Coordinates of all heavy atoms in Angstrom, one line a residue:
L1 N -76.3 -80.9 89.3 CA -76.4 -80.6 87.9 C -76.5 -79.0 87.6 O -75.8 -78.6 86.7 CB -77.6 -81.2 87.2 CG -77.6 -82.8 87.0 CD1 -78.9 -83.2 86.4 CD2 -76.4 -83.1 86.2
A2 N -77.1 -78.3 88.6 CA -77.1 -76.9 88.4 C -75.8 -76.3 88.6 O -75.3 -75.4 88.0 CB -78.1 -76.3 89.3
A3 N -75.0 -76.8 89.6 CA -73.7 -76.3 89.9 C -72.8 -76.5 88.7 O -71.9 -75.7 88.4 CB -73.2 -77.0 91.2
I4 N -72.8 -77.7 88.1 CA -72.0 -78.1 86.9 C -72.3 -77.1 85.8 O -71.4 -76.6 85.0 CB -72.3 -79.6 86.5 CG1 -71.6 -80.4 87.6 CG2 -71.5 -79.8 85.2 CD1 -71.7 -81.9 87.4
A5 N -73.6 -76.9 85.6 CA -74.1 -75.9 84.5 C -73.5 -74.6 84.8 O -73.1 -74.0 83.8 CB -75.6 -75.9 84.3
Q6 N -73.7 -74.1 86.0 CA -73.1 -72.7 86.3 C -71.6 -72.6 86.0 O -71.2 -71.6 85.4 CB -73.4 -72.3 87.8 CG -73.0 -71.0 88.0 CD -73.4 -70.7 89.5 OE1 -74.0 -71.5 90.2 NE2 -73.1 -69.5 89.9
V7 N -70.9 -73.6 86.4 CA -69.4 -73.6 86.2 C -69.1 -73.7 84.6 O -68.3 -72.9 84.1 CB -68.7 -74.8 86.9 CG1 -67.2 -74.8 86.5 CG2 -68.8 -74.4 88.4
L8 N -69.9 -74.5 83.9 CA -69.7 -74.6 82.3 C -70.0 -73.2 81.8 O -69.2 -72.8 80.9 CB -70.5 -75.6 81.8 CG -70.0 -77.0 82.0 CD1 -71.1 -78.1 81.6 CD2 -68.7 -77.4 81.5
L9 N -71.0 -72.6 82.2 CA -71.3 -71.3 81.7 C -70.3 -70.2 82.0 O -70.0 -69.3 81.2 CB -72.8 -70.8 82.1 CG -73.9 -71.6 81.5 CD1 -75.3 -71.3 82.2 CD2 -74.0 -71.2 80.0
T10 N -69.8 -70.3 83.2 CA -68.8 -69.3 83.7 C -67.4 -69.6 82.9 O -66.8 -68.7 82.4 CB -68.4 -69.6 85.1 OG1 -69.7 -69.3 85.9 CG2 -67.4 -68.6 85.5
L11 N -67.2 -70.8 82.5 CA -66.0 -71.1 81.8 C -66.1 -70.7 80.3 O -65.1 -70.7 79.6 CB -65.7 -72.6 81.8 CG -65.1 -73.1 83.2 CD1 -64.9 -74.6 83.3 CD2 -63.8 -72.4 83.6
L12 N -67.4 -70.6 79.9 CA -67.6 -70.3 78.5 C -67.0 -68.9 78.1 O -66.5 -68.5 77.0 CB -69.2 -70.3 78.2 CG -69.6 -70.2 76.7 CD1 -68.8 -71.3 75.8 CD2 -71.0 -70.3 76.5
R13 N -67.0 -68.0 79.2 CA -66.4 -66.6 78.9 C -65.0 -66.6 78.7 O -64.5 -66.1 77.7 CB -66.8 -65.8 80.3 CG -66.1 -64.4 80.4 CD -66.0 -63.6 79.1 NE -65.8 -62.3 79.3 CZ -64.7 -61.7 79.0 NH1 -63.6 -62.3 78.5 NH2 -64.6 -60.3 79.0
P14 N -64.1 -67.4 79.4 CA -62.7 -67.3 79.2 C -62.5 -68.1 77.7 O -61.6 -67.7 76.9 CB -62.0 -68.0 80.2 CG -63.0 -68.4 81.2 CD -64.4 -67.9 80.8
A15 N -63.2 -69.0 77.6 CA -63.1 -69.7 76.1 C -63.4 -68.7 75.1 O -62.7 -68.8 74.0 CB -64.0 -71.0 76.1
G16 N -64.6 -68.0 75.2 CA -64.7 -67.0 74.1 C -63.7 -65.9 74.0 O -63.5 -65.5 73.0
E17 N -63.1 -65.7 75.2 CA -62.1 -64.6 75.1 C -60.9 -65.2 74.3 O -60.3 -64.4 73.5 CB -61.6 -64.3 76.5 CG -60.6 -63.2 76.6 CD -60.3 -62.7 78.0 OE1 -61.3 -62.8 79.0 OE2 -59.3 -62.4 78.3
K18 N -60.6 -66.5 74.4 CA -59.5 -67.0 73.8 C -59.7 -67.0 72.2 O -58.7 -67.1 71.4 CB -59.2 -68.4 74.2 CG -58.5 -68.5 75.6 CD -58.3 -69.9 76.0 CE -57.7 -69.9 77.4 NZ -57.5 -71.3 77.9
C19 N -60.9 -67.1 71.8 CA -61.3 -67.2 70.4 C -61.6 -65.7 69.8 O -61.9 -65.7 68.8 CB -62.5 -68.1 70.2 SG -62.3 -69.7 70.7
G20 N -61.6 -64.7 70.8 CA -61.9 -63.5 70.2 C -63.4 -63.2 70.1 O -63.7 -62.2 69.5
L21 N -64.2 -64.0 70.7 CA -65.6 -63.6 70.8 C -66.1 -62.8 71.8 O -67.3 -62.5 71.8 CB -66.4 -65.0 70.6 CG -66.0 -66.0 69.5 CD1 -66.8 -67.4 69.6 CD2 -66.5 -65.4 68.1
A22 N -65.3 -62.6 72.8 CA -65.8 -61.8 73.9 C -65.5 -60.3 73.8 O -65.5 -59.6 74.8 CB -65.2 -62.3 75.2
R23 N -65.2 -60.0 72.6 CA -64.8 -58.5 72.4 C -65.9 -57.5 72.9 O -65.6 -56.6 73.3 CB -64.4 -58.2 71.0 CG -62.8 -58.6 70.8 CD -62.4 -58.2 69.4 NE -62.1 -59.6 68.8 CZ -62.4 -60.0 67.6 NH1 -63.1 -59.2 66.8 NH2 -62.1 -61.2 67.1
G24 N -67.0 -57.9 72.5 CA -68.2 -57.0 72.8 C -68.6 -57.0 74.3 O -69.4 -56.3 74.6
L25 N -68.1 -57.9 75.1 CA -68.4 -58.1 76.5 C -67.6 -57.2 77.3 O -66.5 -57.1 77.1 CB -68.4 -59.4 76.8 CG -69.2 -60.5 76.1 CD1 -69.0 -61.9 76.5 CD2 -70.7 -60.2 76.3
P26 N -68.1 -56.7 78.5 CA -67.2 -55.9 79.4 C -66.1 -56.8 80.0 O -66.4 -58.0 80.2 CB -68.2 -55.5 80.5 CG -69.5 -55.6 80.0 CD -69.4 -56.6 78.9
S27 N -65.0 -56.2 80.2 CA -63.9 -57.1 80.7 C -64.0 -57.3 82.3 O -64.4 -56.4 82.9 CB -62.5 -56.5 80.5 OG -62.5 -55.2 81.1
P28 N -63.7 -58.5 82.7 CA -64.0 -58.9 84.2 C -63.2 -58.0 85.1 O -63.6 -57.6 86.2 CB -63.7 -60.3 84.2 CG -63.2 -60.8 83.0 CD -63.4 -59.7 81.9
P29 N -61.9 -57.7 84.7 CA -61.1 -56.8 85.8 C -61.5 -55.5 85.8 O -60.9 -54.7 86.5 CB -59.8 -57.2 85.5 CG -59.6 -57.6 84.0 CD -61.0 -58.1 83.8
S30 N -62.6 -55.0 85.2 CA -62.9 -53.6 85.2 C -63.2 -53.1 86.6 O -63.8 -54.0 87.4 CB -64.0 -53.3 84.1 OG -65.2 -53.9 84.8
P31 N -63.0 -51.9 86.9 CA -63.2 -51.4 88.3 C -64.7 -51.6 88.6 O -65.1 -51.8 89.8 CB -62.8 -49.9 88.3 CG -62.0 -49.8 87.0 CD -62.4 -50.8 86.1
R32 N -65.7 -51.3 87.7 CA -67.1 -51.2 88.0 C -67.7 -52.7 87.8 O -68.7 -52.9 88.2 CB -67.8 -50.3 87.0 CG -67.4 -48.9 87.4 CD -68.2 -47.9 86.6 NE -69.3 -48.3 85.9 CZ -69.6 -48.0 84.6 NH1 -68.8 -47.1 84.1 NH2 -70.4 -48.5 83.9
R33 N -67.0 -53.6 87.3 CA -67.6 -55.0 87.0 C -68.9 -55.1 86.6 O -69.7 -55.4 87.4 CB -67.3 -55.7 88.3 CG -67.4 -57.2 88.1 CD -66.6 -58.0 89.2 NE -66.7 -59.4 89.1 CZ -65.6 -60.1 88.6 NH1 -64.6 -59.4 88.1 NH2 -65.7 -61.4 88.5
Q34 N -69.2 -54.6 85.4 CA -70.6 -54.5 85.0 C -71.3 -55.8 84.8 O -72.4 -55.9 85.4 CB -70.5 -53.9 83.5 CG -70.1 -52.4 83.5 CD -68.8 -52.3 82.9 OE1 -68.0 -53.2 82.7 NE2 -68.3 -51.0 82.7
L35 N -70.7 -57.0 84.4 CA -71.3 -58.2 84.3 C -70.4 -59.3 84.9 O -69.2 -59.2 84.7 CB -71.6 -58.6 82.8 CG -72.6 -57.7 82.1 CD1 -72.7 -58.1 80.7 CD2 -74.0 -58.0 82.6
S36 N -70.9 -60.2 85.6 CA -70.2 -61.2 86.1 C -69.7 -62.2 85.1 O -70.3 -62.2 83.8 CB -71.0 -62.0 87.2 OG -72.0 -62.8 86.5
L37 N -68.7 -63.1 85.3 CA -68.2 -64.0 84.4 C -69.5 -65.0 83.8 O -69.6 -65.4 82.8 CB -67.2 -64.8 84.8 CG -65.8 -64.1 85.0 CD1 -64.8 -65.0 85.7 CD2 -65.3 -63.5 83.8
L38 N -70.3 -65.3 84.9 CA -71.5 -66.1 84.6 C -72.3 -65.3 83.6 O -72.9 -66.1 82.6 CB -72.2 -66.5 85.9 CG -73.6 -67.2 85.6 CD1 -73.4 -68.7 85.0 CD2 -74.3 -67.3 87.0
N39 N -72.8 -64.2 83.8 CA -73.6 -63.4 82.8 C -73.1 -63.3 81.5 O -73.6 -63.3 80.5 CB -74.0 -62.1 83.5 CG -75.0 -62.3 84.6 OD1 -75.8 -63.2 84.7 ND2 -75.0 -61.4 85.6
Q40 N -71.7 -63.1 81.4 CA -71.0 -63.0 80.1 C -71.1 -64.5 79.4 O -71.2 -64.4 78.2 CB -69.7 -62.5 80.3 CG -69.5 -61.1 80.8 CD -68.2 -60.6 81.2 OE1 -67.2 -61.2 80.6 NE2 -68.0 -59.6 81.9
G41 N -70.9 -65.4 80.2 CA -71.1 -66.8 79.6 C -72.5 -67.1 79.1 O -72.7 -67.7 78.1
L42 N -73.4 -66.6 79.9 CA -74.8 -66.6 79.4 C -75.1 -65.9 78.1 O -75.8 -66.4 77.2 CB -75.8 -66.2 80.5 CG -75.9 -67.1 81.6 CD1 -76.8 -66.4 82.8 CD2 -76.7 -68.3 81.3
I43 N -74.5 -64.8 78.0 CA -74.6 -64.0 76.7 C -74.0 -64.9 75.6 O -74.6 -64.9 74.5 CB -73.9 -62.6 76.8 CG1 -74.7 -61.7 77.8 CG2 -73.8 -62.0 75.4 CD1 -74.0 -60.4 78.3
L44 N -72.7 -65.4 75.6 CA -72.2 -66.3 74.7 C -73.1 -67.4 74.4 O -73.3 -67.9 73.3 CB -70.7 -66.6 75.1 CG -69.7 -65.5 75.0 CD1 -68.4 -66.0 75.6 CD2 -69.6 -65.1 73.6
Y45 N -73.6 -68.1 75.4 CA -74.4 -69.3 75.3 C -75.7 -68.9 74.4 O -76.1 -69.7 73.6 CB -74.9 -69.7 76.6 CG -75.7 -71.0 76.6 CD1 -75.2 -72.2 76.3 CD2 -77.1 -70.9 76.7 CE1 -76.1 -73.3 76.2 CE2 -78.0 -72.0 76.6 CZ -77.3 -73.3 76.4 OH -78.3 -74.3 76.2
D46 N -76.2 -67.7 74.6 CA -77.4 -67.3 74.0 C -77.0 -67.0 72.4 O -77.9 -67.2 71.6 CB -77.9 -65.9 74.5 CG -79.2 -65.4 73.8 OD1 -80.2 -66.3 73.7 OD2 -79.2 -64.3 73.4
R47 N -75.7 -66.6 72.1 CA -75.2 -66.5 70.8 C -75.0 -67.8 70.0 O -74.8 -67.7 68.7 CB -74.1 -65.6 70.7 CG -74.4 -64.2 71.3 CD -73.0 -63.4 71.1 NE -73.2 -62.1 71.8 CZ -72.2 -61.2 72.0 NH1 -71.0 -61.6 71.8 NH2 -72.5 -60.0 72.6
L48 N -74.9 -68.9 70.7 CA -74.5 -70.2 70.0 C -75.3 -70.6 68.8 O -74.7 -70.9 67.9 CB -74.4 -71.3 71.2 CG -73.3 -71.3 72.2 CD1 -73.5 -72.4 73.2 CD2 -72.0 -71.3 71.5
P49 N -76.7 -70.6 69.0 CA -77.5 -71.0 67.7 C -77.2 -70.1 66.5 O -77.4 -70.6 65.3 CB -78.9 -70.9 68.3 CG -78.8 -70.8 69.8 CD -77.5 -70.2 70.0
R50 N -76.8 -68.9 66.7 CA -76.6 -67.9 65.6 C -75.1 -67.9 65.1 O -74.8 -67.2 64.1 CB -77.0 -66.6 65.9 CG -78.5 -66.6 66.2 CD -79.0 -65.2 66.6 NE -78.5 -64.6 67.7 CZ -78.7 -64.8 68.9 NH1 -79.8 -65.7 69.2 NH2 -78.2 -64.2 70.0
M51 N -74.3 -68.8 65.7 CA -72.8 -68.6 65.3 C -72.6 -69.5 64.1 O -73.1 -70.6 63.9 CB -71.9 -69.2 66.5 CG -71.7 -68.2 67.5 SD -70.5 -68.8 68.6 CE -70.6 -67.7 70.0
D52 N -71.7 -69.0 63.1 CA -71.2 -69.8 62.1 C -70.3 -70.9 62.6 O -69.7 -70.7 63.8 CB -70.4 -68.9 61.0 CG -71.3 -67.8 60.5 OD1 -72.5 -68.1 60.3 OD2 -70.7 -66.7 60.1
D53 N -70.0 -71.9 61.8 CA -69.1 -73.0 62.1 C -67.8 -72.5 62.3 O -67.1 -73.0 63.2 CB -69.2 -74.0 61.0 CG -70.4 -74.9 61.0 OD1 -71.2 -74.8 62.1 OD2 -70.8 -75.6 60.1
D54 N -67.3 -71.5 61.7 CA -66.1 -70.9 61.8 C -65.8 -70.3 63.2 O -64.7 -70.1 63.6 CB -65.5 -70.2 60.6 CG -66.4 -68.9 60.5 OD1 -67.7 -68.9 60.8 OD2 -66.0 -67.9 60.0
Q55 N -66.9 -69.8 63.9 CA -66.7 -69.4 65.1 C -67.0 -70.3 66.2 O -66.4 -70.4 67.2 CB -67.9 -68.1 65.3 CG -67.5 -66.9 64.5 CD -68.6 -65.9 64.8 OE1 -69.8 -66.2 64.9 NE2 -68.2 -64.7 64.7
L56 N -68.0 -71.3 65.8 CA -68.5 -72.3 66.9 C -67.4 -73.3 67.2 O -67.2 -73.5 68.3 CB -69.8 -72.9 66.4 CG -70.5 -73.8 67.3 CD1 -70.8 -73.2 68.7 CD2 -71.7 -74.5 66.8
A57 N -66.7 -73.8 66.1 CA -65.7 -74.9 66.3 C -64.6 -74.6 67.2 O -64.3 -75.2 68.1 CB -65.2 -75.4 65.1
P58 N -64.0 -73.3 67.0 CA -62.9 -72.9 67.9 C -63.3 -72.6 69.4 O -62.6 -73.0 70.3 CB -62.4 -71.5 67.2 CG -62.8 -71.5 65.9 CD -64.1 -72.3 65.8
L59 N -64.6 -72.0 69.5 CA -65.1 -71.9 70.7 C -65.4 -73.2 71.6 O -64.9 -73.3 72.7 CB -66.5 -71.1 70.8 CG -67.1 -70.8 72.0 CD1 -66.4 -70.0 72.9 CD2 -68.6 -70.1 71.7
M60 N -65.8 -74.2 70.9 CA -66.0 -75.5 71.5 C -64.7 -76.1 71.9 O -64.6 -76.7 72.9 CB -66.8 -76.4 70.7 CG -68.4 -75.9 70.5 SD -69.1 -76.0 72.2 CE -69.4 -74.3 72.5
K61 N -63.7 -75.9 71.0 CA -62.4 -76.4 71.3 C -61.9 -75.7 72.5 O -61.0 -76.3 73.4 CB -61.4 -76.4 70.2 CG -61.7 -77.3 69.1 CD -60.8 -77.2 67.9 CE -61.2 -78.1 66.7 NZ -60.4 -78.0 65.6
A62 N -61.9 -74.4 72.6 CA -61.5 -73.7 73.7 C -62.2 -74.0 75.1 O -61.5 -74.1 76.0 CB -61.6 -72.2 73.4
L63 N -63.5 -74.2 75.0 CA -64.3 -74.6 76.1 C -63.8 -76.1 76.6 O -63.6 -76.2 77.8 CB -65.8 -74.6 75.8 CG -66.7 -75.0 77.0 CD1 -66.5 -74.2 78.1 CD2 -68.1 -75.1 76.5
D64 N -63.5 -76.9 75.6 CA -63.1 -78.3 76.0 C -61.7 -78.2 76.6 O -61.4 -78.7 77.8 CB -62.8 -79.1 74.7 CG -62.3 -80.4 75.0 OD1 -63.0 -81.2 75.9 OD2 -61.3 -80.8 74.4
A65 N -60.9 -77.2 76.2 CA -59.5 -77.1 76.9 C -59.7 -76.5 78.3 O -59.1 -76.9 79.3 CB -58.7 -76.1 76.1
E66 N -60.6 -75.5 78.4 CA -61.0 -75.0 79.8 C -61.5 -76.1 80.8 O -61.0 -76.1 81.9 CB -62.0 -73.8 79.7 CG -61.5 -72.6 79.1 CD -60.4 -71.8 80.0 OE1 -60.6 -71.9 81.1 OE2 -59.6 -71.1 79.3
V67 N -62.3 -76.9 80.3 CA -62.9 -78.0 81.1 C -61.9 -79.1 81.5 O -61.8 -79.3 82.6 CB -64.1 -78.6 80.5 CG1 -64.6 -79.9 81.2 CG2 -65.3 -77.6 80.3
R68 N -61.1 -79.4 80.5 CA -60.0 -80.3 80.8 C -58.9 -79.8 81.8 O -58.2 -80.6 82.3 CB -59.3 -80.8 79.5 CG -60.3 -81.7 78.8 CD -59.6 -82.1 77.4 NE -60.6 -82.7 76.6 CZ -60.8 -84.0 76.4 NH1 -60.2 -84.7 77.3 NH2 -61.7 -84.6 75.6
A69 N -58.9 -78.6 81.9 CA -57.9 -77.9 82.8 C -58.2 -78.1 84.2 O -57.4 -78.0 85.1 CB -57.7 -76.4 82.5
H70 N -59.5 -78.3 84.6 CA -59.9 -78.5 85.9 C -60.1 -79.9 86.3 O -60.8 -80.8 85.6 CB -61.3 -77.8 86.1 CG -61.1 -76.4 85.9 ND1 -60.6 -75.5 86.9 CD2 -61.3 -75.6 84.8 CE1 -60.6 -74.2 86.5 NE2 -61.0 -74.3 85.2
E71 N -59.3 -80.5 87.2 CA -59.4 -81.9 87.6 C -60.7 -82.4 88.0 O -61.1 -83.6 87.7 CB -58.4 -82.0 88.8 CG -58.2 -83.6 89.2 CD -57.1 -83.8 90.1 OE1 -56.2 -82.9 90.2 OE2 -57.3 -84.7 90.9
I72 N -61.6 -81.5 88.6 CA -62.8 -82.1 89.1 C -63.7 -82.5 87.9 O -64.5 -83.6 88.0 CB -63.7 -81.0 89.9 CG1 -64.9 -81.6 90.5 CG2 -64.0 -79.7 89.0 CD1 -64.8 -82.6 91.6
F73 N -63.5 -81.9 86.7 CA -64.3 -82.1 85.5 C -63.8 -83.5 84.9 O -64.6 -84.3 84.3 CB -64.4 -81.1 84.5 CG -65.3 -80.0 84.9 CD1 -64.8 -78.8 85.2 CD2 -66.7 -80.2 84.8 CE1 -65.7 -77.7 85.5 CE2 -67.5 -79.2 85.2 CZ -67.1 -78.0 85.4
R74 N -62.5 -83.7 84.9 CA -62.0 -85.0 84.5 C -62.5 -86.1 85.3 O -62.8 -87.1 84.8 CB -60.5 -84.9 84.6 CG -59.8 -84.0 83.6 CD -58.2 -84.2 83.4 NE -57.6 -84.2 84.6 CZ -56.9 -83.0 85.0 NH1 -57.0 -81.9 84.2 NH2 -56.3 -82.9 86.1
A75 N -62.6 -85.9 86.6 CA -63.2 -87.0 87.5 C -64.7 -87.2 87.2 O -65.2 -88.3 87.1 CB -63.0 -86.6 89.0
V76 N -65.4 -86.0 87.0 CA -66.9 -86.2 86.9 C -67.2 -86.8 85.5 O -68.0 -87.8 85.3 CB -67.6 -84.8 87.1 CG1 -69.0 -84.9 86.6 CG2 -67.5 -84.5 88.6
F77 N -66.6 -86.2 84.4 CA -66.9 -86.5 83.0 C -66.2 -87.9 82.7 O -66.5 -88.4 81.7 CB -66.7 -85.4 82.1 CG -67.7 -84.3 82.3 CD1 -67.1 -83.0 82.4 CD2 -68.9 -84.5 82.4 CE1 -68.0 -81.8 82.5 CE2 -69.9 -83.4 82.6 CZ -69.4 -82.1 82.6
G78 N -65.2 -88.1 83.4 CA -64.5 -89.4 83.0 C -65.3 -90.6 83.3 O -65.1 -91.7 82.7
V79 N -66.3 -90.6 84.2 CA -67.0 -91.6 84.5 C -68.1 -91.8 83.4 O -68.6 -92.9 83.1 CB -67.9 -91.4 85.9 CG1 -68.9 -92.5 86.1 CG2 -66.8 -91.3 87.0
I80 N -68.6 -90.7 82.8 CA -69.6 -90.7 81.7 C -69.2 -91.3 80.5 O -68.1 -91.0 80.0 CB -70.2 -89.4 81.6 CG1 -70.9 -88.9 82.9 CG2 -71.2 -89.4 80.5 CD1 -71.4 -87.5 82.9

C-alpha cells in the first residue's frame, strides 16, 4: 500500500502541471533539482483541502488520466 501511495503522490505532480497548479513548484528538470517529484506531489496533496472546486475537479481528472496511462494501475484497481 505504501508503494501505491508513493506512486500516486508522485503522479500528482504531473497532473498538477497539466492543470497549471504546479507553477509555484520548482521544475523537475532543473540542474539543481530542488524538490523531488514525490515532494512536489506532497505539496499539492497538502493544498487539496483548500482548493476550490474549479481547481480540484481538473486536477482529479488529470490525475485519473495519469493513473489510467499506467497498465499496472489498471490491473490493480481493475480488481477493486
Side-chain angles (χ1 to χ4, degrees):
L1 288 176
I4 292 172
Q6 182 176 356
V7 172
L8 288 173
L9 287 168
T10 302
L11 289 176
L12 191 57
R13 169 45 162 103
E17 188 174 325
K18 288 180 182 177
C19 298
L21 297 175
R23 274 182 247 138
L25 301 175
S27 61
S30 69
R32 292 191 0 228
R33 192 152 183 105
Q34 292 104 355
L35 291 174
S36 69
L37 292 176
L38 173 63
N39 285 333
Q40 293 176 19
L42 284 167
I43 292 169
L44 286 173
Y45 180 78
D46 185 53
R47 294 178 184 175
L48 287 178
R50 296 181 300 279
M51 282 186 189
D52 295 330
D53 287 341
D54 60 331
Q55 291 179 323
L56 186 60
L59 178 60
M60 291 298 106
K61 286 181 184 177
L63 180 60
D64 180 57
E66 288 289 328
V67 169
R68 289 179 190 269
H70 297 276
E71 187 175 331
I72 187 69
F73 282 111
R74 287 194 304 266
V76 170
F77 292 132
V79 176
I80 297 175

